[in-house]
Amino acid sequence: LMFQEFSKHIQREHVQTTLVEVWIFPGISSKSRSTALALSKFWASFHLFDASCAYAGIVALTLCDKVLLLISAHIPHDGHEHQLDDVLETMDELVLTCIDKARAYGIERHNVLLIGGADLNQDMRDSYSARGCALLSWLESHGCALIFPNNHKLVSHNHWHHSNESLIDWFWASKS
């Protein structure tokens, strides 16, 4: 499971229960911008390393000759003090650092796969906006594609101050 705007955590934390392990990564502020990843004990047993930045947390799993980078991210909405280009550059550095770390374990680059879930704060069905294009370009630069839902009426967010609904939470995965 991937969580965005999870809690008000200021520090990184790894919590273990009898059934799951949860990695909690601090976000951009103490106002509930953290992200988290929860894995069953079975999948958590493949844990290789984890890493984070202000916008995302990554848990790396080793499966045979592959490393799977599970990413939970929160991309601030437009008008936030953090500019999208800076956010994507920071996330880019995090992903590339994790790829280098996987390669240090002897894993070839083409065997490092990404699966992500994020609050993109962008309805990607309207990917022709400047923000949508920037997000798609970032995904493409990492060999990833969005996973579009079959139900085009699906919503993932109900705005608290008005009745608008939107689909701003998305999953993506490596194309290979």
Side-chain angles (χ1 to χ4, degrees), residues 34-93:
S34 64
T35 60
L37 282 154
L39 298 173
S40 71
K41 281 287 195 182
F42 172 79
W43 288 109
S45 70
F46 297 100
H47 176 260
L48 185 60
F49 62 84
D50 51 86
S52 66
C53 68
Y55 311 103
I58 294 178
V59 172
L61 305 179
T62 179
L63 302 168
C64 300
D65 65 339
K66 300 197 183 315
V67 168
L68 181 61
L69 299 181
L70 299 176
I71 305 168
S72 181
H74 175 259
I75 309 298
H77 55 79
D78 285 336
H80 196 276
E81 64 202 55
H82 301 266
Q83 297 300 314
L84 182 61
D85 290 343
D86 296 335
V87 171
L88 295 178
E89 183 178 321
T90 301
M91 284 187 51
D92 199 44
E93 290 170 8

